[in-house]
Amino acid sequence: MTETDVALRTLAHNVRAARIRAGLSLDELGRRAKVSKGALVALEKAQGNPNFATLVRLADSLGASVSALTEGRPEQRVRVVDADAVMPLWKGERGSEARLMLTTGGPAPTEVWRWTLEPGEEYPSHPHQAGVTETVSVTAGEMVLVVDGTEYPVAAGQSATFDADATHTYRGAGTRTCHLIMTVHLPPGPG
């Protein structure tokens, strides 16, 4: 079995388990996450291939983190994660990418993401569930954070935080690749 097959089976199991824990039918989860019932059925049978935006909508609708849907059970008390060992969940046409490095446990988990944004390339995100906040910390280069249509330049050595229940976009700026760490702080929930 390939690594992709294992990942898809893990995702299928975790989505189904989270849906059942939340007491949602396939129809209701599909309505909330804006995913067709057919796509959900295929996903729960490990036959789907959801994109990054679909995973985020499913996680938000289930009150879970993206990694709660994509990772198997933690095997160790301490995990050290190499960025190259984590597959990108989003890749832009110009070479930008986003990798979900890990998620903390507990009642209000935090996702830790490593992003690269090429100049002019952007990732538009839909609003998350109420109570989700995001923080971006630029380690090299520059980016523009757009929240509700307002642009906020963020350069190397700067961080920005915002309530992520609004439309937001990450855009590479300047002349070189922007490197950033993004954390997504999730509200306590059933996930």
Side-chain angles (χ1 to χ4, degrees), residues 8 11-13 15-16 19 25-27 29-31 33-51 53-55 57-58 62:
L8 193 52
L11 176 64
H13 174 268
V15 167
R16 185 173 195 287
R19 180 179 62 78
S25 67
L26 287 166
D27 288 323
L29 177 57
R31 185 188 66 73
K34 299 177 184 160
V35 177
S36 73
K37 182 178 179 180
L40 286 175
V41 168
L43 177 61
E44 288 191 4
K45 290 182 177 180
Q47 298 170 344
N49 186 17
N51 64 28
T54 299
L55 286 176
R57 287 194 312 271
L58 284 170
L62 292 166

PDB file of all heavy atoms in Angstrom, residues 8 11-13 15-16 19 25-27 29-31 33-51 53-55 57-58 62:
ATOM      1  N   LEU A   8      -5.056   8.461   2.654  1.00  0.00           N
ATOM      2  CA  LEU A   8      -6.461   8.555   2.274  1.00  0.00           C
ATOM      3  C   LEU A   8      -7.336   7.700   3.196  1.00  0.00           C
ATOM      4  O   LEU A   8      -8.426   8.121   3.599  1.00  0.00           O
ATOM      5  CB  LEU A   8      -6.641   8.144   0.812  1.00  0.00           C
ATOM      6  CG  LEU A   8      -7.975   8.470   0.167  1.00  0.00           C
ATOM      7  CD1 LEU A   8      -8.339   9.941   0.353  1.00  0.00           C
ATOM      8  CD2 LEU A   8      -7.940   8.117  -1.303  1.00  0.00           C
ATOM      9  N   LEU A  11      -7.613   9.569   6.493  1.00  0.00           N
ATOM     10  CA  LEU A  11      -8.549  10.673   6.317  1.00  0.00           C
ATOM     11  C   LEU A  11      -9.989  10.161   6.314  1.00  0.00           C
ATOM     12  O   LEU A  11     -10.858  10.719   6.995  1.00  0.00           O
ATOM     13  CB  LEU A  11      -8.243  11.431   5.027  1.00  0.00           C
ATOM     14  CG  LEU A  11      -9.198  12.565   4.667  1.00  0.00           C
ATOM     15  CD1 LEU A  11      -9.145  13.676   5.719  1.00  0.00           C
ATOM     16  CD2 LEU A  11      -8.862  13.117   3.284  1.00  0.00           C
ATOM     17  N   ALA A  12     -10.257   9.108   5.568  1.00  0.00           N
ATOM     18  CA  ALA A  12     -11.605   8.543   5.481  1.00  0.00           C
ATOM     19  C   ALA A  12     -12.112   8.134   6.864  1.00  0.00           C
ATOM     20  O   ALA A  12     -13.238   8.467   7.257  1.00  0.00           O
ATOM     21  CB  ALA A  12     -11.604   7.338   4.533  1.00  0.00           C
ATOM     22  N   HIS A  13     -11.289   7.428   7.607  1.00  0.00           N
ATOM     23  CA  HIS A  13     -11.670   6.981   8.951  1.00  0.00           C
ATOM     24  C   HIS A  13     -11.927   8.168   9.868  1.00  0.00           C
ATOM     25  O   HIS A  13     -12.928   8.213  10.592  1.00  0.00           O
ATOM     26  CB  HIS A  13     -10.563   6.087   9.534  1.00  0.00           C
ATOM     27  CG  HIS A  13     -10.821   5.726  10.956  1.00  0.00           C
ATOM     28  ND1 HIS A  13     -10.347   6.467  12.013  1.00  0.00           N
ATOM     29  CD2 HIS A  13     -11.542   4.708  11.498  1.00  0.00           C
ATOM     30  CE1 HIS A  13     -10.746   5.924  13.148  1.00  0.00           C
ATOM     31  NE2 HIS A  13     -11.472   4.857  12.866  1.00  0.00           N
ATOM     32  N   VAL A  15     -12.641  11.381   9.146  1.00  0.00           N
ATOM     33  CA  VAL A  15     -13.809  12.189   8.773  1.00  0.00           C
ATOM     34  C   VAL A  15     -15.085  11.490   9.216  1.00  0.00           C
ATOM     35  O   VAL A  15     -15.973  12.104   9.827  1.00  0.00           O
ATOM     36  CB  VAL A  15     -13.835  12.470   7.254  1.00  0.00           C
ATOM     37  CG1 VAL A  15     -15.187  13.027   6.819  1.00  0.00           C
ATOM     38  CG2 VAL A  15     -12.723  13.436   6.874  1.00  0.00           C
ATOM     39  N   ARG A  16     -15.185  10.196   8.953  1.00  0.00           N
ATOM     40  CA  ARG A  16     -16.387   9.450   9.342  1.00  0.00           C
ATOM     41  C   ARG A  16     -16.558   9.461  10.861  1.00  0.00           C
ATOM     42  O   ARG A  16     -17.650   9.716  11.375  1.00  0.00           O
ATOM     43  CB  ARG A  16     -16.323   8.014   8.828  1.00  0.00           C
ATOM     44  CG  ARG A  16     -17.594   7.232   9.095  1.00  0.00           C
ATOM     45  CD  ARG A  16     -17.565   5.859   8.415  1.00  0.00           C
ATOM     46  NE  ARG A  16     -18.850   5.239   8.350  1.00  0.00           N
ATOM     47  CZ  ARG A  16     -19.479   4.700   9.398  1.00  0.00           C
ATOM     48  NH1 ARG A  16     -18.926   4.730  10.589  1.00  0.00           N
ATOM     49  NH2 ARG A  16     -20.666   4.150   9.247  1.00  0.00           N
ATOM     50  N   ARG A  19     -17.622  12.883  12.015  1.00  0.00           N
ATOM     51  CA  ARG A  19     -19.012  13.150  11.609  1.00  0.00           C
ATOM     52  C   ARG A  19     -19.980  12.445  12.552  1.00  0.00           C
ATOM     53  O   ARG A  19     -20.966  13.031  13.014  1.00  0.00           O
ATOM     54  CB  ARG A  19     -19.239  12.692  10.160  1.00  0.00           C
ATOM     55  CG  ARG A  19     -20.660  12.926   9.665  1.00  0.00           C
ATOM     56  CD  ARG A  19     -20.845  12.476   8.232  1.00  0.00           C
ATOM     57  NE  ARG A  19     -20.636  11.069   8.018  1.00  0.00           N
ATOM     58  CZ  ARG A  19     -21.521  10.105   8.312  1.00  0.00           C
ATOM     59  NH1 ARG A  19     -22.679  10.411   8.879  1.00  0.00           N
ATOM     60  NH2 ARG A  19     -21.246   8.840   8.048  1.00  0.00           N
ATOM     61  N   SER A  25     -25.451  13.840   9.738  1.00  0.00           N
ATOM     62  CA  SER A  25     -25.662  12.968   8.582  1.00  0.00           C
ATOM     63  C   SER A  25     -24.731  13.431   7.463  1.00  0.00           C
ATOM     64  O   SER A  25     -24.166  14.525   7.513  1.00  0.00           O
ATOM     65  CB  SER A  25     -27.119  13.072   8.112  1.00  0.00           C
ATOM     66  OG  SER A  25     -27.360  14.379   7.597  1.00  0.00           O
ATOM     67  N   LEU A  26     -24.587  12.601   6.442  1.00  0.00           N
ATOM     68  CA  LEU A  26     -23.804  12.999   5.271  1.00  0.00           C
ATOM     69  C   LEU A  26     -24.405  14.246   4.627  1.00  0.00           C
ATOM     70  O   LEU A  26     -23.675  15.154   4.225  1.00  0.00           O
ATOM     71  CB  LEU A  26     -23.729  11.854   4.259  1.00  0.00           C
ATOM     72  CG  LEU A  26     -22.834  10.691   4.632  1.00  0.00           C
ATOM     73  CD1 LEU A  26     -23.113   9.490   3.735  1.00  0.00           C
ATOM     74  CD2 LEU A  26     -21.371  11.088   4.530  1.00  0.00           C
ATOM     75  N   ASP A  27     -25.727  14.293   4.565  1.00  0.00           N
ATOM     76  CA  ASP A  27     -26.397  15.455   3.971  1.00  0.00           C
ATOM     77  C   ASP A  27     -26.088  16.737   4.746  1.00  0.00           C
ATOM     78  O   ASP A  27     -25.775  17.771   4.160  1.00  0.00           O
ATOM     79  CB  ASP A  27     -27.918  15.244   3.923  1.00  0.00           C
ATOM     80  CG  ASP A  27     -28.337  14.230   2.878  1.00  0.00           C
ATOM     81  OD1 ASP A  27     -27.714  14.200   1.794  1.00  0.00           O
ATOM     82  OD2 ASP A  27     -29.285  13.464   3.142  1.00  0.00           O
ATOM     83  N   LEU A  29     -23.547  17.360   6.914  1.00  0.00           N
ATOM     84  CA  LEU A  29     -22.142  17.735   6.802  1.00  0.00           C
ATOM     85  C   LEU A  29     -21.866  18.347   5.431  1.00  0.00           C
ATOM     86  O   LEU A  29     -21.166  19.359   5.321  1.00  0.00           O
ATOM     87  CB  LEU A  29     -21.221  16.537   7.041  1.00  0.00           C
ATOM     88  CG  LEU A  29     -19.722  16.826   6.879  1.00  0.00           C
ATOM     89  CD1 LEU A  29     -19.269  17.942   7.805  1.00  0.00           C
ATOM     90  CD2 LEU A  29     -18.916  15.551   7.122  1.00  0.00           C
ATOM     91  N   GLY A  30     -22.437  17.756   4.401  1.00  0.00           N
ATOM     92  CA  GLY A  30     -22.265  18.296   3.051  1.00  0.00           C
ATOM     93  C   GLY A  30     -22.793  19.717   2.928  1.00  0.00           C
ATOM     94  O   GLY A  30     -22.161  20.577   2.329  1.00  0.00           O
ATOM     95  N   ARG A  31     -23.957  19.969   3.536  1.00  0.00           N
ATOM     96  CA  ARG A  31     -24.540  21.313   3.502  1.00  0.00           C
ATOM     97  C   ARG A  31     -23.633  22.308   4.220  1.00  0.00           C
ATOM     98  O   ARG A  31     -23.336  23.371   3.697  1.00  0.00           O
ATOM     99  CB  ARG A  31     -25.928  21.302   4.144  1.00  0.00           C
ATOM    100  CG  ARG A  31     -26.662  22.636   4.037  1.00  0.00           C
ATOM    101  CD  ARG A  31     -27.949  22.666   4.846  1.00  0.00           C
ATOM    102  NE  ARG A  31     -27.731  22.590   6.271  1.00  0.00           N
ATOM    103  CZ  ARG A  31     -27.238  23.585   7.027  1.00  0.00           C
ATOM    104  NH1 ARG A  31     -26.895  24.728   6.476  1.00  0.00           N
ATOM    105  NH2 ARG A  31     -27.091  23.437   8.320  1.00  0.00           N
ATOM    106  N   ALA A  33     -20.389  22.062   4.976  1.00  0.00           N
ATOM    107  CA  ALA A  33     -19.042  22.187   4.398  1.00  0.00           C
ATOM    108  C   ALA A  33     -19.065  22.547   2.915  1.00  0.00           C
ATOM    109  O   ALA A  33     -18.013  22.715   2.308  1.00  0.00           O
ATOM    110  CB  ALA A  33     -18.273  20.880   4.596  1.00  0.00           C
ATOM    111  N   LYS A  34     -20.271  22.620   2.331  1.00  0.00           N
ATOM    112  CA  LYS A  34     -20.406  22.919   0.902  1.00  0.00           C
ATOM    113  C   LYS A  34     -19.671  21.882   0.055  1.00  0.00           C
ATOM    114  O   LYS A  34     -18.901  22.202  -0.853  1.00  0.00           O
ATOM    115  CB  LYS A  34     -19.931  24.333   0.590  1.00  0.00           C
ATOM    116  CG  LYS A  34     -20.737  25.386   1.310  1.00  0.00           C
ATOM    117  CD  LYS A  34     -20.234  26.775   1.070  1.00  0.00           C
ATOM    118  CE  LYS A  34     -21.061  27.729   1.917  1.00  0.00           C
ATOM    119  NZ  LYS A  34     -20.415  28.982   2.135  1.00  0.00           N
ATOM    120  N   VAL A  35     -19.919  20.605   0.393  1.00  0.00           N
ATOM    121  CA  VAL A  35     -19.341  19.462  -0.314  1.00  0.00           C
ATOM    122  C   VAL A  35     -20.505  18.549  -0.675  1.00  0.00           C
ATOM    123  O   VAL A  35     -21.392  18.316   0.154  1.00  0.00           O
ATOM    124  CB  VAL A  35     -18.324  18.705   0.582  1.00  0.00           C
ATOM    125  CG1 VAL A  35     -17.779  17.476  -0.113  1.00  0.00           C
ATOM    126  CG2 VAL A  35     -17.198  19.625   1.013  1.00  0.00           C
ATOM    127  N   SER A  36     -20.516  18.022  -1.881  1.00  0.00           N
ATOM    128  CA  SER A  36     -21.622  17.165  -2.283  1.00  0.00           C
ATOM    129  C   SER A  36     -21.646  15.872  -1.468  1.00  0.00           C
ATOM    130  O   SER A  36     -20.610  15.394  -0.995  1.00  0.00           O
ATOM    131  CB  SER A  36     -21.521  16.823  -3.774  1.00  0.00           C
ATOM    132  OG  SER A  36     -20.476  15.889  -3.991  1.00  0.00           O
ATOM    133  N   LYS A  37     -22.846  15.324  -1.322  1.00  0.00           N
ATOM    134  CA  LYS A  37     -22.992  14.065  -0.592  1.00  0.00           C
ATOM    135  C   LYS A  37     -22.178  12.967  -1.278  1.00  0.00           C
ATOM    136  O   LYS A  37     -21.532  12.156  -0.620  1.00  0.00           O
ATOM    137  CB  LYS A  37     -24.463  13.663  -0.506  1.00  0.00           C
ATOM    138  CG  LYS A  37     -24.687  12.380   0.275  1.00  0.00           C
ATOM    139  CD  LYS A  37     -26.159  12.037   0.377  1.00  0.00           C
ATOM    140  CE  LYS A  37     -26.365  10.736   1.131  1.00  0.00           C
ATOM    141  NZ  LYS A  37     -27.801  10.413   1.235  1.00  0.00           N
ATOM    142  N   GLY A  38     -22.181  12.952  -2.597  1.00  0.00           N
ATOM    143  CA  GLY A  38     -21.415  11.952  -3.346  1.00  0.00           C
ATOM    144  C   GLY A  38     -19.924  12.032  -3.050  1.00  0.00           C
ATOM    145  O   GLY A  38     -19.250  11.015  -2.890  1.00  0.00           O
ATOM    146  N   ALA A  39     -19.412  13.269  -2.958  1.00  0.00           N
ATOM    147  CA  ALA A  39     -17.990  13.443  -2.642  1.00  0.00           C
ATOM    148  C   ALA A  39     -17.695  12.954  -1.232  1.00  0.00           C
ATOM    149  O   ALA A  39     -16.640  12.354  -0.975  1.00  0.00           O
ATOM    150  CB  ALA A  39     -17.586  14.900  -2.806  1.00  0.00           C
ATOM    151  N   LEU A  40     -18.609  13.207  -0.293  1.00  0.00           N
ATOM    152  CA  LEU A  40     -18.414  12.732   1.080  1.00  0.00           C
ATOM    153  C   LEU A  40     -18.455  11.210   1.163  1.00  0.00           C
ATOM    154  O   LEU A  40     -17.659  10.601   1.879  1.00  0.00           O
ATOM    155  CB  LEU A  40     -19.466  13.334   2.011  1.00  0.00           C
ATOM    156  CG  LEU A  40     -19.286  14.792   2.371  1.00  0.00           C
ATOM    157  CD1 LEU A  40     -20.467  15.301   3.189  1.00  0.00           C
ATOM    158  CD2 LEU A  40     -17.986  14.999   3.133  1.00  0.00           C
ATOM    159  N   VAL A  41     -19.401  10.609   0.443  1.00  0.00           N
ATOM    160  CA  VAL A  41     -19.476   9.141   0.425  1.00  0.00           C
ATOM    161  C   VAL A  41     -18.170   8.563  -0.110  1.00  0.00           C
ATOM    162  O   VAL A  41     -17.595   7.643   0.474  1.00  0.00           O
ATOM    163  CB  VAL A  41     -20.688   8.657  -0.412  1.00  0.00           C
ATOM    164  CG1 VAL A  41     -20.618   7.164  -0.673  1.00  0.00           C
ATOM    165  CG2 VAL A  41     -21.993   9.023   0.292  1.00  0.00           C
ATOM    166  N   ALA A  42     -17.677   9.116  -1.218  1.00  0.00           N
ATOM    167  CA  ALA A  42     -16.409   8.635  -1.784  1.00  0.00           C
ATOM    168  C   ALA A  42     -15.261   8.845  -0.797  1.00  0.00           C
ATOM    169  O   ALA A  42     -14.429   7.953  -0.602  1.00  0.00           O
ATOM    170  CB  ALA A  42     -16.112   9.362  -3.102  1.00  0.00           C
ATOM    171  N   LEU A  43     -15.237  10.012  -0.137  1.00  0.00           N
ATOM    172  CA  LEU A  43     -14.172  10.295   0.822  1.00  0.00           C
ATOM    173  C   LEU A  43     -14.191   9.297   1.966  1.00  0.00           C
ATOM    174  O   LEU A  43     -13.155   8.761   2.357  1.00  0.00           O
ATOM    175  CB  LEU A  43     -14.316  11.726   1.356  1.00  0.00           C
ATOM    176  CG  LEU A  43     -13.304  12.150   2.419  1.00  0.00           C
ATOM    177  CD1 LEU A  43     -11.889  12.082   1.859  1.00  0.00           C
ATOM    178  CD2 LEU A  43     -13.612  13.543   2.903  1.00  0.00           C
ATOM    179  N   GLU A  44     -15.368   9.017   2.509  1.00  0.00           N
ATOM    180  CA  GLU A  44     -15.467   8.082   3.629  1.00  0.00           C
ATOM    181  C   GLU A  44     -15.169   6.645   3.211  1.00  0.00           C
ATOM    182  O   GLU A  44     -14.950   5.786   4.060  1.00  0.00           O
ATOM    183  CB  GLU A  44     -16.830   8.193   4.304  1.00  0.00           C
ATOM    184  CG  GLU A  44     -16.981   9.481   5.099  1.00  0.00           C
ATOM    185  CD  GLU A  44     -18.201   9.512   6.002  1.00  0.00           C
ATOM    186  OE1 GLU A  44     -18.928   8.487   6.087  1.00  0.00           O
ATOM    187  OE2 GLU A  44     -18.430  10.557   6.629  1.00  0.00           O
ATOM    188  N   LYS A  45     -15.152   6.380   1.913  1.00  0.00           N
ATOM    189  CA  LYS A  45     -14.749   5.059   1.400  1.00  0.00           C
ATOM    190  C   LYS A  45     -13.297   5.068   0.942  1.00  0.00           C
ATOM    191  O   LYS A  45     -12.848   4.134   0.296  1.00  0.00           O
ATOM    192  CB  LYS A  45     -15.648   4.661   0.225  1.00  0.00           C
ATOM    193  CG  LYS A  45     -17.062   4.336   0.622  1.00  0.00           C
ATOM    194  CD  LYS A  45     -17.865   3.902  -0.591  1.00  0.00           C
ATOM    195  CE  LYS A  45     -19.261   3.499  -0.191  1.00  0.00           C
ATOM    196  NZ  LYS A  45     -20.055   3.070  -1.360  1.00  0.00           N
ATOM    197  N   ALA A  46     -12.577   6.144   1.254  1.00  0.00           N
ATOM    198  CA  ALA A  46     -11.164   6.313   0.872  1.00  0.00           C
ATOM    199  C   ALA A  46     -10.993   6.321  -0.640  1.00  0.00           C
ATOM    200  O   ALA A  46      -9.994   5.858  -1.169  1.00  0.00           O
ATOM    201  CB  ALA A  46     -10.290   5.251   1.517  1.00  0.00           C
ATOM    202  N   GLN A  47     -12.000   6.855  -1.342  1.00  0.00           N
ATOM    203  CA  GLN A  47     -11.931   6.929  -2.793  1.00  0.00           C
ATOM    204  C   GLN A  47     -11.859   8.371  -3.291  1.00  0.00           C
ATOM    205  O   GLN A  47     -11.728   8.608  -4.465  1.00  0.00           O
ATOM    206  CB  GLN A  47     -13.153   6.235  -3.411  1.00  0.00           C
ATOM    207  CG  GLN A  47     -13.213   4.761  -3.080  1.00  0.00           C
ATOM    208  CD  GLN A  47     -14.536   4.142  -3.476  1.00  0.00           C
ATOM    209  OE1 GLN A  47     -15.524   4.810  -3.734  1.00  0.00           O
ATOM    210  NE2 GLN A  47     -14.548   2.814  -3.498  1.00  0.00           N
ATOM    211  N   GLY A  48     -11.965   9.321  -2.387  1.00  0.00           N
ATOM    212  CA  GLY A  48     -11.954  10.718  -2.784  1.00  0.00           C
ATOM    213  C   GLY A  48     -10.551  11.276  -2.829  1.00  0.00           C
ATOM    214  O   GLY A  48      -9.588  10.622  -2.444  1.00  0.00           O
ATOM    215  N   ASN A  49     -10.448  12.501  -3.304  1.00  0.00           N
ATOM    216  CA  ASN A  49      -9.175  13.205  -3.342  1.00  0.00           C
ATOM    217  C   ASN A  49      -9.454  14.680  -3.076  1.00  0.00           C
ATOM    218  O   ASN A  49      -9.371  15.500  -3.975  1.00  0.00           O
ATOM    219  CB  ASN A  49      -8.496  13.002  -4.700  1.00  0.00           C
ATOM    220  CG  ASN A  49      -7.114  13.597  -4.724  1.00  0.00           C
ATOM    221  OD1 ASN A  49      -6.529  13.883  -3.683  1.00  0.00           O
ATOM    222  ND2 ASN A  49      -6.591  13.801  -5.915  1.00  0.00           N
ATOM    223  N   PRO A  50      -9.794  15.017  -1.818  1.00  0.00           N
ATOM    224  CA  PRO A  50     -10.202  16.394  -1.533  1.00  0.00           C
ATOM    225  C   PRO A  50      -9.035  17.367  -1.633  1.00  0.00           C
ATOM    226  O   PRO A  50      -7.906  17.025  -1.316  1.00  0.00           O
ATOM    227  CB  PRO A  50     -10.713  16.309  -0.095  1.00  0.00           C
ATOM    228  CG  PRO A  50      -9.959  15.169   0.497  1.00  0.00           C
ATOM    229  CD  PRO A  50      -9.781  14.181  -0.633  1.00  0.00           C
ATOM    230  N   ASN A  51      -9.341  18.577  -2.076  1.00  0.00           N
ATOM    231  CA  ASN A  51      -8.303  19.611  -2.113  1.00  0.00           C
ATOM    232  C   ASN A  51      -8.202  20.273  -0.748  1.00  0.00           C
ATOM    233  O   ASN A  51      -8.975  19.997   0.166  1.00  0.00           O
ATOM    234  CB  ASN A  51      -8.569  20.619  -3.238  1.00  0.00           C
ATOM    235  CG  ASN A  51      -9.845  21.409  -3.040  1.00  0.00           C
ATOM    236  OD1 ASN A  51     -10.304  21.648  -1.924  1.00  0.00           O
ATOM    237  ND2 ASN A  51     -10.439  21.838  -4.140  1.00  0.00           N
ATOM    238  N   ALA A  53      -8.824  23.351   0.298  1.00  0.00           N
ATOM    239  CA  ALA A  53      -9.983  24.146   0.713  1.00  0.00           C
ATOM    240  C   ALA A  53     -11.101  23.249   1.243  1.00  0.00           C
ATOM    241  O   ALA A  53     -11.757  23.582   2.235  1.00  0.00           O
ATOM    242  CB  ALA A  53     -10.489  24.997  -0.452  1.00  0.00           C
ATOM    243  N   THR A  54     -11.315  22.095   0.622  1.00  0.00           N
ATOM    244  CA  THR A  54     -12.332  21.154   1.091  1.00  0.00           C
ATOM    245  C   THR A  54     -11.977  20.618   2.468  1.00  0.00           C
ATOM    246  O   THR A  54     -12.834  20.507   3.346  1.00  0.00           O
ATOM    247  CB  THR A  54     -12.502  19.998   0.081  1.00  0.00           C
ATOM    248  OG1 THR A  54     -12.918  20.541  -1.178  1.00  0.00           O
ATOM    249  CG2 THR A  54     -13.527  18.989   0.563  1.00  0.00           C
ATOM    250  N   LEU A  55     -10.700  20.285   2.687  1.00  0.00           N
ATOM    251  CA  LEU A  55     -10.278  19.800   4.006  1.00  0.00           C
ATOM    252  C   LEU A  55     -10.532  20.846   5.088  1.00  0.00           C
ATOM    253  O   LEU A  55     -11.003  20.522   6.180  1.00  0.00           O
ATOM    254  CB  LEU A  55      -8.794  19.435   3.997  1.00  0.00           C
ATOM    255  CG  LEU A  55      -8.409  18.153   3.274  1.00  0.00           C
ATOM    256  CD1 LEU A  55      -6.888  17.997   3.266  1.00  0.00           C
ATOM    257  CD2 LEU A  55      -9.060  16.950   3.912  1.00  0.00           C
ATOM    258  N   ARG A  57     -12.795  23.302   5.023  1.00  0.00           N
ATOM    259  CA  ARG A  57     -14.246  23.429   5.239  1.00  0.00           C
ATOM    260  C   ARG A  57     -14.780  22.250   6.050  1.00  0.00           C
ATOM    261  O   ARG A  57     -15.625  22.431   6.935  1.00  0.00           O
ATOM    262  CB  ARG A  57     -14.979  23.556   3.909  1.00  0.00           C
ATOM    263  CG  ARG A  57     -14.793  24.902   3.235  1.00  0.00           C
ATOM    264  CD  ARG A  57     -15.784  25.137   2.100  1.00  0.00           C
ATOM    265  NE  ARG A  57     -15.919  24.043   1.173  1.00  0.00           N
ATOM    266  CZ  ARG A  57     -15.170  23.872   0.081  1.00  0.00           C
ATOM    267  NH1 ARG A  57     -14.232  24.749  -0.221  1.00  0.00           N
ATOM    268  NH2 ARG A  57     -15.381  22.838  -0.716  1.00  0.00           N
ATOM    269  N   LEU A  58     -14.294  21.030   5.764  1.00  0.00           N
ATOM    270  CA  LEU A  58     -14.727  19.865   6.538  1.00  0.00           C
ATOM    271  C   LEU A  58     -14.304  19.997   7.997  1.00  0.00           C
ATOM    272  O   LEU A  58     -15.099  19.749   8.906  1.00  0.00           O
ATOM    273  CB  LEU A  58     -14.154  18.572   5.939  1.00  0.00           C
ATOM    274  CG  LEU A  58     -14.818  18.073   4.668  1.00  0.00           C
ATOM    275  CD1 LEU A  58     -14.004  16.939   4.049  1.00  0.00           C
ATOM    276  CD2 LEU A  58     -16.243  17.605   4.958  1.00  0.00           C
ATOM    277  N   LEU A  62     -16.798  20.290  11.218  1.00  0.00           N
ATOM    278  CA  LEU A  62     -16.771  19.236  12.237  1.00  0.00           C
ATOM    279  C   LEU A  62     -16.208  19.728  13.570  1.00  0.00           C
ATOM    280  O   LEU A  62     -16.137  18.960  14.534  1.00  0.00           O
ATOM    281  CB  LEU A  62     -15.948  18.049  11.723  1.00  0.00           C
ATOM    282  CG  LEU A  62     -16.576  17.289  10.563  1.00  0.00           C
ATOM    283  CD1 LEU A  62     -15.563  16.358   9.910  1.00  0.00           C
ATOM    284  CD2 LEU A  62     -17.803  16.507  11.038  1.00  0.00           C
TER     285      LEU A  62
END
